[in-house]
Amino acid sequence: MKDFLFYAPTEVQFGKQSEELVADLVKKYGGTKVLLHYGGQSAKRSGLLDKICRLLNEGGIEYIELGGVVPNPRLSKVKEGIALCRQQGIDFILAVGGGSVIDSSKAIAYGVPYEGDVWDFYIGKAEATTCLPVATVLTIPAAGSEMSEASVITNEDGDIKLGYSNNICRPKFAIMNPERTFTLPPYQTAAGVTDIMLHTQERYFNTECDMTIADTIAEALLRTMKECVFAVLENPEDYRNRAQIMWAGSLAHNDVTGNRLTGDWATHSIEHELSAMFDVTHGAGLAVVWPSWARYVYKENMSRFVRFAVNVMGVENDFTDPEGTALKGIEAMKRFYRAIGMPTTIRELIGRDITDDEIKEMASKCTRGGTITQGRFKKLTTADIEAIYQLAR
Ligand code: NZQ
Ligand code: ZN
């Protein structure tokens, strides 16, 4: 087993009414003046935001609101948040929402104490050494940002979507009440589960393949998600299964299911170009990319794909034909995506045919103009990535 760092400092308060603890938790982690950061409408409509405001008021905690974070959160909103925090003397950021709101919060948290342009961190020009504390009341299980070290931001100037990872921004606490996810539409529910599964798959298809305990946890998580998603699509208020999905979302991205540093992550990088160019839902983009990535790379380590097919997708192992078994596993995954309402082609994802020029542009951006490769399972060049987009079109 490779050496690794496991760092999961986030306090998780999970369950019905867990948001009642919000004021105490903010105080516990040193917040005195809070930026209450949220998205478009959902938290307002559900009454969650009003409830959080009431609880902060009752707890005697000052706060300033900043809503309007959109999926694939934008750099301009981050900069607005940084200016507001500085002007108001904010010392704590509370994200009420999903990955987009949390990632925007993390970016603001880096930016407030930094003299330069916050985008410097995302382009690798600077490393953050300090940031404001961030915490969350989670409303959608998907990105895993509530426990992760990552923040993914889109710079509208050039539609460049980049992630920045740093352990210092892992949220201080995460409040997770599965009841708050009852209002999720089917598409967001399914895209969320797809993302949760992909965070597990990215780690599972790694270069070492010798972390048996993590692999076994990963397979169990993937099988559990395959069952739970159908239950909540049928009954959105199924607490038991909403709860399994919500907790899985955190476990899938807090490194319990595998070592992030030996994971692949090519599917994520290839998808990020799709959501940057077409502003599509991240999880839906992953459903389009993964089967094509898998078909392109499976020969690098066929036995891994056979194990996935058998242990996760329930394919019968044909010992005389490992390649056939591996391919059946990939096909079964694709059928699963279709069954939960996810697109499996770029055409379905963006609603029209993609052009060759657009594919070339995304592939080039994905490798920073051919200066880097993506993925570890197989190191992918610009030409490889172009081929994967072609397979997915
Ligand atoms: O804006 P509102 O009105 O709140 O609507 C949101 C949004 O439209 C809605 N929603 C959220 N909770 C809801 C709800 N609707 C009804 N009821 C609720 N309870 O869902 C939509 C999607 O929300 P968003 O926050 O964008 O979803 P998600 O958590 O999937 O986050 C996606 C972003 O996270 C990034 C993605 O690239 C994307 O930008 N990622 C972040 C990662 C990280 N920080 O570790 C890792 C991931 O791989 C991912 O890249
Ligand atoms: Zn993801």
Side-chain angles (χ1 to χ4, degrees):
M1 195 193 283
K2 272 233 166 183
D3 299 348
F4 64 89
L5 166 74
F6 179 73
Y7 183 60
T10 306
E11 175 172 345
V12 174
Q13 287 291 347
F14 192 96
K16 295 177 184 174
Q17 303 301 323
S18 48
E19 60 261 13
E20 296 289 341
L21 298 167
V22 69
D24 288 345
L25 287 169
V26 169
K27 281 184 203 160
K28 177 174 174 182
Y29 290 100
T32 61
K33 191 162 181 187
V34 172
L35 180 76
L36 190 56
H37 204 29
Y38 55 92
Q41 285 303 317
S42 73
K44 272 193 183 159
R45 224 177 6 239
S46 69
L48 176 62
L49 204 64
D50 282 349
K51 184 172 182 185
I52 300 296
C53 290
R54 177 176 60 76
L55 290 165
L56 292 177
N57 282 325
E58 285 171 6
I61 297 168
E62 256 190 275
Y63 62 88
I64 302 286
E65 291 184 40
L66 179 63
V69 178
V70 292
N72 304 313
R74 309 295 201 266
L75 184 60
S76 57
K77 179 60 74 180
V78 169
K79 291 190 171 170
E80 189 186 335
I82 293 169
L84 187 64
C85 286
R86 286 180 180 159
Q87 186 196 21
Q88 297 285 338
I90 297 289
D91 59 16
F92 197 95
I93 306 182
L94 183 63
V96 179
S100 295
V101 179
I102 304 170
D103 287 5
S104 182
S105 299
K106 289 174 176 176
I108 294 170
Y110 290 130
V112 173
Y114 181 60
E115 282 180 5
D117 184 343
V118 67
W119 191 240
D120 289 350
F121 301 126
Y122 293 79
I123 56 173
K125 202 173 141 189
E127 252 338 298
T129 51
T130 180
C131 68
L132 291 188
V134 173
T136 181
V137 180
L138 187 68
T139 63
I140 171 172
S145 188
E146 68 276 9
M147 287 188 85
S148 85
E149 79 304 0
S151 157
V152 187
I153 298 295
T154 298
N155 185 343
E156 305 92 312
D157 185 8
D159 291 338
I160 301 164
K161 182 173 178 175
L162 291 175
Y164 176 57
S165 291
N166 189 323
N167 273 321
I168 62 171
C169 82
R170 289 194 197 246
K172 300 293 175 205
F173 66 81
I175 288 175
M176 298 189 218
N177 177 356
E179 288 176 327
R180 293 291 169 191
T181 69
F182 288 176
T183 50
L184 279 170
Y187 193 78
Q188 289 299 337
T189 298
V193 168
T194 302
D195 195 17
I196 291 167
M197 293 177 78
L198 241 305
H199 293 156
T200 312
Q201 284 154 263
E202 297 279 23
R203 290 173 169 85
Y204 186 82
F205 291 98
N206 61 62
T207 44
E208 308 301 325
C209 299
D210 67 347
M211 214 172 173
T212 308
I213 182 68
D215 287 342
T216 312
I217 295 171
E219 288 166 356
L221 187 147
L222 291 166
R223 286 195 303 268
T224 308
M225 289 305 93
K226 276 175 58 207
E227 288 168 20
C228 293
V229 68
F230 291 108
V232 300
L233 287 174
E234 194 170 312
N235 174 13
E237 302 201 359
D238 176 338
Y239 182 88
R240 189 193 164 278
N241 285 295
R242 286 285 192 196
Q244 314 300 320
I245 294 172
M246 197 166 208
W247 187 220
S250 303
L251 298 181
H253 211 26
N254 77 354
D255 294 334
V256 164
T257 62
N259 184 349
R260 182 178 57 85
L261 299 178
T262 56
D264 185 68
W265 300 105
T267 302
H268 265 73
S269 301
I270 294 171
E271 190 293 316
H272 281 168
E273 296 308 328
L274 281 167
S275 45
M277 187 176 275
F278 301 106
D279 200 18
V280 291
T281 301
H282 169 62
L286 294 173
V288 167
V289 174
W290 190 83
S292 300
W293 169 83
R295 271 188 291 149
Y296 196 76
V297 306
Y298 73 92
K299 288 183 183 154
E300 296 293 310
N301 185 344
M302 191 96 77
S303 64
R304 195 63 171 177
F305 273 93
V306 169
R307 182 175 165 166
F308 177 80
V310 175
N311 290 1
V312 177
M313 301 313 296
V315 172
E316 197 176 331
N317 200 347
D318 179 349
F319 293 96
T320 62
D321 182 15
E323 184 166 9
T325 306
L327 287 170
K328 276 186 193 159
I330 298 169
E331 273 313 302
M333 192 77 220
K334 205 167 169 175
R335 275 200 306 281
F336 166 77
Y337 289 143
R338 289 204 196 99
I340 62 171
M342 286 290 95
T344 54
T345 63
I346 297 178
R347 188 172 207 286
E348 288 166 351
L349 180 71
I350 68 172
R352 66 163 169 84
D353 286 325
I354 191 165
T355 67
D356 288 337
D357 284 349
E358 286 167 335
I359 285 181
K360 278 190 196 315
E361 187 184 331
M362 287 193 298
S364 168
K365 275 180 166 173
C366 199
T367 58
R368 317 279 180 274
T371 57
I372 57 167
T373 56
Q374 290 292 352
R376 293 192 181 90
F377 197 79
K378 176 178 169 65
K379 287 191 191 314
L380 302 171
T381 63
T382 313
D384 293 323
I385 292 168
E386 235 183 277
I388 291 170
Y389 285 129
Q390 290 290 353
L391 278 174
R393 71 191 300 174

